[in-house]
Amino acid sequence: MDRADSGSDGVGMKFTETPLSGAYIIDLDRIEDERGFFARTFCVKEFSARGIILNIVQANTSYNKKRGTVRGMHYQLPPHAEPKLIRCVRGSIYDVIIDLREDSETYLKWFAAELNEQNQKMIYVPEGFAHGFQTLVDDTEVFYQMGEYYHQEAATGVRWDDSKFQIFWPLEVAVISVKDRSYPLFHVK
């Protein structure tokens, strides 16, 4: 675990690198008192200290009614590849990333983490990764901060159940969009 210099205000974040190169789980460093807590969820200096340049250009949210909902596995093609910072603000998700960077030592590997309103963890997803999640409870909301604008012509994905990745999903799929079910199987170039 790596803790960035939290600066003069004493607030910071704790970064833990995942097994996939360049992707991090981020724990909030909460300052608690009788009111509740305060925590920083983004700081350019703390990300830059790890060589991460995340110029947030959009923030999105997804609300998911049913436990077992799957969204993913989404990404954008270059030159519109998008880094993301993901946080579950209500409920709980099983968050999955796949490294699709051909020059990466972790190419075609996946990683998953539970993000929920209790643990308040975030995941930093670098460019060149597919991202998706499964809701673990009803009424789940996910907040995304994006480092690239949405470009419909560059938006694509891989199948959530592609045997090439062998992703473990903890629940039976209750809801998935036609689009997400229709992504092609991944072919190595």
Side-chain angles (χ1 to χ4, degrees), residues 98-174:
I98 305 170
D99 187 350
L100 298 179
R101 303 170 299 176
E102 292 179 24
D103 61 345
S104 171
E105 61 192 36
T106 57
Y107 179 55
L108 303 182
K109 303 277 191 244
W110 65 273
F111 172 80
E114 184 174 342
L115 308 179
N116 60 54
E117 65 184 297
Q118 287 80 31
N119 69 23
Q120 299 177 348
K121 293 179 183 292
M122 298 183 291
I123 189 165
Y124 169 71
V125 184
E127 293 179 9
F129 278 63
H131 170 261
F133 63 84
Q134 183 175 48
T135 59
L136 300 176
V137 298
D138 291 345
D139 298 318
T140 293
E141 187 174 353
V142 180
F143 183 68
Y144 311 70
Q145 292 172 286
M146 313 299 286
E148 176 58 69
Y149 295 103
Y150 175 73
H151 293 270
Q152 185 174 4
E153 72 281 4
T156 190
V158 296
R159 285 183 56 97
W160 62 279
D161 62 349
D162 191 328
S163 62
K164 172 161 295 307
F165 306 115
Q166 297 184 3
I167 297 169
F168 166 79
W169 296 97
L171 302 174
E172 186 174 324
V173 175

Side-chain angles (χ1 to χ4, degrees), residues 178-189:
V178 171
K179 182 178 179 181
D180 287 353
R181 279 195 318 257
S182 300
Y183 283 125
L185 296 175
F186 188 79
H187 295 286
V188 178
K189 297 173 186 170

